[in-house]
Amino acid sequence: MDCDKCGRESVMHAAYSGLHLCEEHFLASVDKRVRRRVREDGLVPDDATPEDPQTWVVGLSGGKDSVVLTDVLHRTFEKDPRIELVALTIHEGIEGYRDESVDACVELTDELGLRHELVTYEEEFDVRMDDVVESDPENMAACAYCGVFRRDLLSRYAEELGADKLLTGHNLDDEAETALMNFLEGDVAQIAKHFDASLGAFDERASDDDPTRETGDHFVPRAKPLRDVPEKEVALYAHLADLPAQITECPHASEAYRGEIQELLYQLEENHPGTRHSIMAGYEELAALAAEEFGAREEGSTDLGECERCGSSTTRDVCRKCSLLDSIHAA
Ligand SMILES: [Zn+2]
Ligand SMILES: [Zn+2]
């Protein structure tokens, strides 16, 4: 088939849009979708100036998603002195696998001339995921431990690096899977959080005079500008643009339920192209409504305190991360 834009040979066909695109027009279409997301989410505030630039910390794992996001953002803002990008990589202590992807991160950031920060579970927590998987004191999936530690380091270092935004490379498939999982688990509180975590919500709430709806100074707002791009297209982009991206999967990956959802979503998309897009459109609208309702319910009940160990905000005396560290170190 020929490219719908120029007639050259196409490299991809997107069933959800009906478009056939050649290499050049495909790459441009991904850039365009990321840039539109940046614009529509209002990521560059009106008052950003070259004298007072915004710092954006990008979570760079070395996988295709974060590598493509970093590359597109770099080219988008290379000549824009209002935005400074910093890449942040986390080493979980997974030998071989993570060493390889750290190499990919170093190669990319060297090539682009980006500042690159590397933090490790070992130095931060005296923990290596390879050992945690062995001892498994809480009888959980590896990803359950790892996610708690990763979230902690991402937000802590985003703050430390003076980030105005923390950007991650979630793609359309990731987001649609998570949305579907939250639906199927009936987890409305989690759905409301999706709205809290998105920037539209942050801006709206920050301008809101009601202090109970303040997102808080110590939370760096999150953004996922790759969330309109399907996983397959992210992989194709990394390949065509010849980006250094690691393709092997984490050896400890064990999210069985997500795997089932992935398969289900794949079938739905095959039979009904556009399903992922419509799930997300509905989900974002629903999340906004749920957040409103939850915000109203939580008013007056300020049971969010500080962890007595590390100071993170938590509803308990000791936060989840600190209690996990306790049981890991006791094992
Ligand atoms: Zn073309
Ligand atoms: Zn803590």
Side-chain angles (χ1 to χ4, degrees):
M1 285 295 276
D2 297 334
C3 173
D4 291 322
K5 308 259 182 200
C6 72
R8 273 179 293 183
E9 193 191 337
S10 69
V11 294
M12 64 91 66
H13 169 240
Y16 59 84
S17 65
L19 280 180
H20 292 84
L21 295 173
C22 69
E23 177 168 342
E24 185 190 324
H25 283 111
F26 165 68
L27 293 173
S29 87
V30 172
D31 288 354
K32 211 167 115 187
R33 275 173 278 170
V34 172
R35 287 168 188 163
R36 187 182 58 205
R37 208 20 112 180
V38 165
R39 205 167 49 242
E40 283 179 1
D41 287 350
L43 298 191
V44 183
D46 293 337
D47 58 358
T49 61
E51 292 74 36
D52 186 19
Q54 291 264 307
T55 301
W56 289 4
V57 168
V58 186
L60 178 63
S61 70
K64 62 183 184 334
D65 302 300
S66 61
V67 163
V68 167
L69 177 64
T70 303
D71 183 67
V72 176
L73 289 174
H74 169 74
R75 278 181 293 101
T76 304
F77 292 105
E78 200 177 4
K79 297 193 173 74
D80 187 338
R82 296 173 304 164
I83 304 296
E84 277 175 9
L85 296 179
V86 181
L88 173 60
T89 300
I90 295 174
H91 197 309
E92 305 95 339
I94 302 169
E95 224 183 295
Y97 165 74
R98 187 51 80 202
D99 301 318
E100 249 174 57
S101 60
V102 168
D103 289 346
C105 297
V106 170
E107 191 183 332
L108 180 76
T109 50
D110 275 358
E111 211 170 280
L112 304 182
L114 281 184
R115 179 173 169 198
H116 183 218
E117 299 289 333
L118 175 67
V119 296
T120 70
Y121 285 7
E122 186 150 29
E123 274 171 46
E124 297 293 328
F125 304 127
D126 192 21
V127 157
R128 297 171 67 255
M129 276 311 296
D130 285 338
D131 301 332
V132 173
V133 173
E134 285 291 307
S135 64
D136 188 17
E138 300 270 325
N139 194 21
M140 303 191 304
C143 306
Y145 295 96
C146 201
V148 171
F149 298 139
R150 185 182 311 106
R151 274 193 297 278
D152 178 76
L153 287 185
L154 277 176
S155 41
R156 188 138 52 85
Y157 274 85
E159 234 180 281
E160 218 155 280
L161 293 164
D164 296 288
K165 308 257 150 58
L166 171 60
L167 299 93
T168 52
H170 294 84
N171 61 47
L172 177 63
D173 294 66
D174 296 331
E175 291 294 281
E177 282 160 22
T178 303
L180 212 51
M181 283 163 75
N182 289 337
F183 271 133
L184 296 179
E185 285 166 356
D187 197 343
V188 182
Q190 200 59 43
I191 294 173
K193 273 188 201 155
H194 173 86
F195 182 75
D196 283 335
S198 82
L199 283 157
F202 179 83
D203 288 340
E204 203 170 287
R205 288 181 176 210
S207 64
D208 195 331
D209 281 338
D210 181 351
T212 58
R213 308 202 60 194
E214 182 70 72
T215 313
D217 307 325
H218 54 290
F219 288 116
V220 175
R222 307 296 177 95
K224 299 170 181 172
L226 201 59
R227 72 183 191 277
D228 293 323
V229 185
E231 175 159 22
K232 222 170 83 186
E233 294 180 38
V234 177
L236 181 62
Y237 190 103
H239 171 70
L240 293 174
D242 200 19
L243 297 174
Q246 188 196 34
I247 34 176
T248 45
E249 255 202 65
C250 175
H252 305 313
S254 56
E255 287 186 291
Y257 189 48
R258 185 174 285 270
E260 279 180 55
I261 298 291
Q262 251 162 19
E263 250 168 67
L264 181 67
L265 209 50
Y266 178 81
Q267 274 310 320
L268 286 170
E269 188 70 35
E270 280 283 298
N271 300 337
H272 315 277
T275 297
R276 289 165 303 185
H277 288 86
S278 61
I279 288 176
M280 287 320 294
Y283 190 69
E284 300 210 337
E285 209 174 318
L286 187 71
L289 292 171
E292 212 167 286
E293 170 67 18
F294 269 76
R297 267 196 236 170
E298 278 167 11
E299 247 167 71
S301 69
T302 50
D303 50 359
L304 203 63
E306 284 183 0
C307 169
E308 57 190 39
R309 209 72 62 75
C310 73
S312 308
S313 37
T314 174
T315 51
R316 294 174 285 191
D317 294 339
V318 174
C319 76
R320 178 84 175 132
K321 172 201 64 186
C322 288
S323 59
L324 279 186
L325 285 174
D326 279 350
S327 56
I328 288 169
H329 288 134

